[in-house]
Amino acid sequence: MPLTPITQRVLSRQLLDVLIRAGLIAVLAIFCFRIFVPFLNLMVWALILAITLYPLQVRLRGPLGDRDGLIASLIILLAFAVILVPTYLLGVAVANSLERAMAIFRSGSFQIPPPAESVAAWPLVGQRVHDFWAQASTDLTGLVHRFAPQLKEAGLALLGTVTGLGAGLLIFFVALIVAGILMAHGEKGYASAKQIASRISGPESGPQIADLCTSTIRAVAQGVVGIAFIQMLLIGIAFIVMGIPGAGLLALAVLLIGIMQLPATLITVPVIIFVLVTEGVSAATVIFSVYVFVAGLADNVLKPLLLGRGVAVPMPVVLIGALGGMVTGGVIGLFIGPVVLAVGYQLFWRWVRDQPQPEPAQEQRRR
């Protein structure tokens, strides 16, 4: 049946109204995103910290009562102390060590002992290491001038890394404050999250998706911190037994590097080189070097064991999400990746299981 001209004009007007409204909503969404995007990383970190620390607030409600604001403030102050004190001690120790090293280098009293003849017998790289080491022990100034451009580039890269770490630490502290505010209104926030999830995926799936996101973030956070703490113990004990200068501060550095998802070999390899240079090659130094190097790689074994605990999806999903998210999005991607992959995994299998039921044979015969 053909449409009358009046009906066509009504439908055209309705379609135009829908397009105009959709365009205005899109413009509003774009402007809101552009205004909010400078604070996106900050708010994501705050949400991750609030979800991770909220179980501690729930446990403290018994001894301290239901004063959520006070409990959240105490937790944030404790977190500041736990992070600031080791960071300050580590920074002071590094600054003092650099100052002493520069003073020794300028005085001309710094000398590198010559290599043992056994170094040349090392497989593949022994002769090169022996020649380089021998030149460093006899003509260190000439060696520094030889590699001056490379040293300058490495120094600039190190300065940029330190600057980035400082900015990241500042953002982390501000995120802690915002996380305290979110934890003080945790119950309302959780109810709002369930409402949003229910509005997107339906009233049946919404609460389950909200709980899945929460458990995934907590599992990843606890796994990351737990793995970093285990590595700190494994490596720190070896440093103390070997008598490494500043062993405690180096162990704290391993903890911080592990939390930032950087390899512990950034600490262990220089320490191994220092021990081999100062103590020489012996059974004790070889055992120490092998143990510390393996302990620095222990996170590759522990991550598959700890990251997926307490999550209603298979462990490989969380592990792949964490690794892929870290590669694509850095430290924040370490948390966002598993959440996105876990939610996608659940929705996919829910869609697979929600298949139309076959009609009974009687209904088919009636037709």
Side-chain angles (χ1 to χ4, degrees):
M1 179 179 179
L3 298 176
T4 63
I6 297 177
T7 304
Q8 291 179 354
R9 286 196 297 270
V10 171
L11 292 177
S12 299
R13 188 181 300 112
Q14 291 177 349
L15 178 60
L16 181 62
D17 290 342
V18 171
L19 293 176
I20 291 176
R21 291 173 184 175
L24 292 176
I25 292 174
V27 171
L28 178 62
I30 292 172
F31 273 101
C32 289
F33 178 76
R34 294 184 62 181
I35 294 171
F36 183 73
V37 72
F39 308 96
L40 182 60
N41 287 344
L42 175 65
M43 294 306 299
V44 171
W45 267 120
L47 187 62
I48 291 171
L49 291 171
I51 292 174
T52 304
L53 297 175
Y54 190 70
L56 180 59
Q57 176 163 341
V58 174
R59 293 183 181 181
L60 292 177
R61 281 178 180 172
L64 299 179
D66 292 333
R67 294 176 289 182
D68 289 333
L70 175 62
I71 298 173
S73 301
L74 292 176
I75 293 175
I76 299 305
L77 290 176
L78 179 61
F80 268 106
V82 170
I83 297 173
L84 278 177
V85 172
T87 304
Y88 173 76
L89 294 176
L90 181 63
V92 171
V94 171
N96 293 336
S97 300
L98 290 176
E99 185 177 355
R100 288 196 299 268
M102 292 299 295
I104 294 173
F105 186 78
R106 289 171 182 173
S107 65
S109 60
F110 177 74
Q111 292 183 351
I112 297 177
E117 293 299 329
S118 59
V119 175
W122 291 359
L124 300 178
V125 296
Q127 189 61 44
R128 295 181 181 179
V129 173
H130 182 274
D131 296 341
F132 184 84
W133 193 342
Q135 183 180 0
S137 63
T138 57
D139 187 17
L140 182 59
T141 304
L143 190 64
V144 170
H145 286 297
R146 176 185 171 188
F147 291 98
Q150 291 84 352
L151 292 176
K152 182 179 179 180
E153 293 179 1
L156 293 176
L158 180 61
L159 180 61
T161 302
V162 172
T163 304
L165 290 176
L169 194 62
L170 179 61
I171 293 176
F172 187 79
F173 287 149
V174 177
L176 265 178
I177 298 175
V178 179
I181 299 174
L182 295 177
M183 290 194 311
H185 304 278
E187 298 295 336
K188 295 180 180 178
Y190 179 64
S192 300
K194 289 197 298 184
Q195 289 178 353
I196 295 173
S198 299
R199 188 69 178 87
I200 294 174
S201 59
E204 296 181 357
S205 304
Q208 297 179 4
I209 291 177
D211 293 337
L212 177 63
C213 295
T214 301
S215 61
T216 304
I217 291 175
R218 287 174 182 166
V220 173
Q222 293 170 3
V224 168
V225 176
I227 292 170
F229 186 75
I230 292 173
Q231 275 193 307
M232 181 195 70
L233 290 179
L234 294 175
I235 297 174
I237 291 173
F239 286 175
I240 294 173
V241 171
M242 199 64 185
I244 304 297
L249 294 177
L250 289 174
L252 289 176
V254 171
L255 176 64
L256 295 177
I257 284 177
I259 293 175
M260 292 184 292
Q261 289 302 288
L262 296 174
T265 50
L266 294 175
I267 301 294
T268 58
V269 170
V271 172
I272 291 172
I273 296 174
F274 170 79
V275 170
L276 293 176
V277 169
T278 56
E279 302 291 337
V281 179
S282 63
T285 56
V286 169
I287 293 174
F288 169 81
S289 301
V290 173
Y291 170 80
V292 170
F293 185 76
V294 173
L297 301 176
D299 57 331
N300 298 311
V301 179
L302 295 175
K303 281 179 182 177
L305 299 178
L306 297 180
L307 281 182
R309 297 183 62 184
V311 183
V313 295
M315 180 272 297
V317 175
V318 179
L319 179 61
I320 293 173
L323 296 178
M326 185 174 61
V327 171
T328 57
V331 181
I332 291 182
L334 180 71
F335 297 91
I336 297 178
V339 171
V340 174
L341 204 60
V343 172
Y345 177 86
Q346 288 279 39
L347 292 178
F348 172 76
W349 279 108
R350 183 162 296 174
W351 172 77
V352 170
R353 297 188 185 99
D354 189 17
Q355 298 184 12
Q357 297 295 329
E359 295 183 359
Q362 296 180 356
E363 293 292 335
Q364 294 180 358
R365 285 196 296 266
R366 289 178 183 176
R367 292 184 181 180

